Amino acid sequence: MKLFQSRVLMVSAVAVITLSACNSADSAKSGVAATVNGAAISESRVGMLVKQNAAQGRPENPELRKAIIDQLAMQYLISKEAAKKGLDKKPEVSDLVDMTRQSILANAFVEDYLKNGPVSDEALNADYEKIKAQITGNEYKARHILVAKKSEAQAIITKLKSNPAAFESLAKEKTIDMGSKASGGDLGWFDTRSMVPEFGGAVGKLAKGSFTKEPVKSQFGYHVILLEDSRPKVVPPLDQVKPQLQQQIRQQNLKKLFDDMKAKAKIEIAQAAPAPGALPVEAAKPAESAK
């Protein structure tokens, strides 16, 4: 069963990972990949960047590993030179460093909560009951032939009346629905509520093995529909959907947590300073004529 899963917006740290300086404390925990003037480049940092590059299609090999170490080494050397010049004290630089740190920590918090956030049995069972209540009625397996003109659909229906077994071959030949053309108009199993109303209503009135005797008009064109089968919807067992439900509940709880954080925080927005050369509002008003 496919469950709707909202996505929590997270601040990505990928773009700023390579801004991190070498850290000897990291190397003590995870091993040393290289040293630069005695400062350690940790194995964990190199491995992290190797995985990032591999995920983007670059093969994981010794050449990639060496290139990453070279990059980190130069980054370390350049950052030291920047510190010697006092660039780390410049407001715009220190602000960027602080923002980078905050974004990484915020991202780590979200990832940790979505992985380890508590989910009570009561919340799990309540969400499962909601799903069970929504799974009612039947689901249907059908094929269709979609054409642009009503006359085309009527001609197809005439052919099917003479030879109902020709539905699949006619769909491959005539339909303009590219998503189902190769499979002979096969739409698989579906809930009629997931279809446009005209289509879903027509399917619900068909007997198994029959096709529509009149074209069904929708926003997409004219349909000829064959109902192959129907069956009652089956509620999946809780164990089958438990991981998705837990994730969904954590996402909901995380949003509530963020809303609560914001509600309790004292956020004051300072009035923006006027642009250079701009006149105050009162000064900008035309002077009243003297009485």
Side-chain angles (χ1 to χ4, degrees), residues 210-232:
S210 66
F211 58 88
T212 50
K213 301 305 187 291
E214 293 293 332
V216 178
K217 186 179 185 303
S218 77
Q219 66 198 71
F220 303 107
Y222 293 87
H223 306 262
V224 181
I225 307 167
L226 168 66
L227 177 62
E228 293 188 319
D229 203 357
S230 65
R231 65 189 181 192

Side-chain angles (χ1 to χ4, degrees), residues 135-140 189 229-235:
I135 301 178
T136 58
N138 294 331
E139 58 181 353
Y140 300 84
W189 288 95
D229 203 357
S230 65
R231 65 189 181 192
K233 293 180 184 175
V234 178
V235 179

Side-chain angles (χ1 to χ4, degrees), residues 236-249:
L238 176 58
D239 286 347
Q240 184 177 325
V241 296
K242 187 174 180 178
Q244 295 127 296
L245 283 178
Q246 286 176 324
Q247 190 70 353
Q248 184 170 286
I249 292 168

Side-chain angles (χ1 to χ4, degrees), residues 9-261:
L9 181 63
M10 297 187 292
V11 182
S12 174
V14 171
V16 296
I17 286 175
T18 56
L19 295 175
S20 304
C22 304
N23 189 319
S24 58
D26 286 348
S27 63
K29 294 179 180 179
S30 56
V32 175
T35 60
V36 185
N37 294 336
I41 298 176
S42 69
E43 185 64 50
S44 63
R45 187 159 300 164
V46 174
M48 184 189 304
L49 294 177
V50 167
K51 288 180 181 178
Q52 280 184 25
N53 279 268
Q56 295 171 4
R58 293 189 64 184
E60 187 174 339
N61 53 39
E63 289 75 17
L64 173 61
R65 177 181 170 84
K66 183 180 183 303
I68 288 171
I69 291 174
D70 287 345
Q71 175 190 355
L72 290 173
M74 284 306 302
Q75 182 176 273
Y76 174 75
L77 293 171
I78 295 168
S79 70
K80 285 296 183 183
E81 290 301 313
K84 286 180 184 178
K85 294 185 68 174
L87 297 179
D88 55 328
K89 303 298 192 295
K90 294 182 68 173
E92 61 269 28
V93 175
S94 61
D95 281 351
L96 182 59
V97 170
D98 191 42
M99 287 168 57
T100 299
R101 180 177 180 276
Q102 287 180 17
S103 70
I104 292 172
L105 285 173
N107 189 64
F109 180 90
V110 170
E111 289 183 350
D112 178 72
Y113 193 96
L114 292 179
K115 183 178 180 181
N116 303 310
V119 176
S120 68
D121 290 339
E122 290 79 9
L124 195 62
N125 289 327
D127 268 28
Y128 182 61
E129 290 302 319
K130 289 179 185 177
I131 291 173
K132 288 171 63 177
Q134 294 170 1
I135 301 178
T136 58
N138 294 331
E139 58 181 353
Y140 300 84
K141 187 176 188 301
R143 294 178 185 269
H144 83 138
I145 303 171
L146 177 65
V147 290
K149 297 179 181 179
K150 184 177 182 179
S151 58
E152 293 178 283
Q154 289 171 328
I156 290 169
I157 290 171
T158 300
K159 290 181 180 180
L160 288 172
K161 286 179 179 178
S162 300
N163 182 15
F167 196 99
E168 186 174 344
S169 60
L170 283 171
K172 290 179 179 179
E173 178 187 352
K174 302 289 188 180
T175 189
I176 58 175
D177 175 14
M178 294 299 104
S180 65
K181 187 178 183 72
S183 60
D186 187 10
L187 298 172
W189 288 95
F190 58 87
D191 184 332
T192 54
R193 291 174 295 185
S194 67
M195 300 296 188
V196 291
E198 303 88 348
F199 191 100
V203 169
K205 294 175 183 177
L206 286 172
K208 180 179 176 179
S210 66
F211 58 88
T212 50
K213 301 305 187 291
E214 293 293 332
V216 178
K217 186 179 185 303
S218 77
Q219 66 198 71
F220 303 107
Y222 293 87
H223 306 262
V224 181
I225 307 167
L226 168 66
L227 177 62
E228 293 188 319
D229 203 357
S230 65
R231 65 189 181 192
K233 293 180 184 175
V234 178
V235 179
L238 176 58
D239 286 347
Q240 184 177 325
V241 296
K242 187 174 180 178
Q244 295 127 296
L245 283 178
Q246 286 176 324
Q247 190 70 353
Q248 184 170 286
I249 292 168
R250 287 190 181 109
Q251 289 168 344
Q252 293 167 351
N253 289 346
L254 184 60
K255 184 182 182 304
K256 291 176 184 176
L257 177 61
F258 287 165
D259 290 343
D260 188 51
M261 285 180 181

Side-chain angles (χ1 to χ4, degrees), residues 269-275:
I269 300 176
Q271 185 175 357

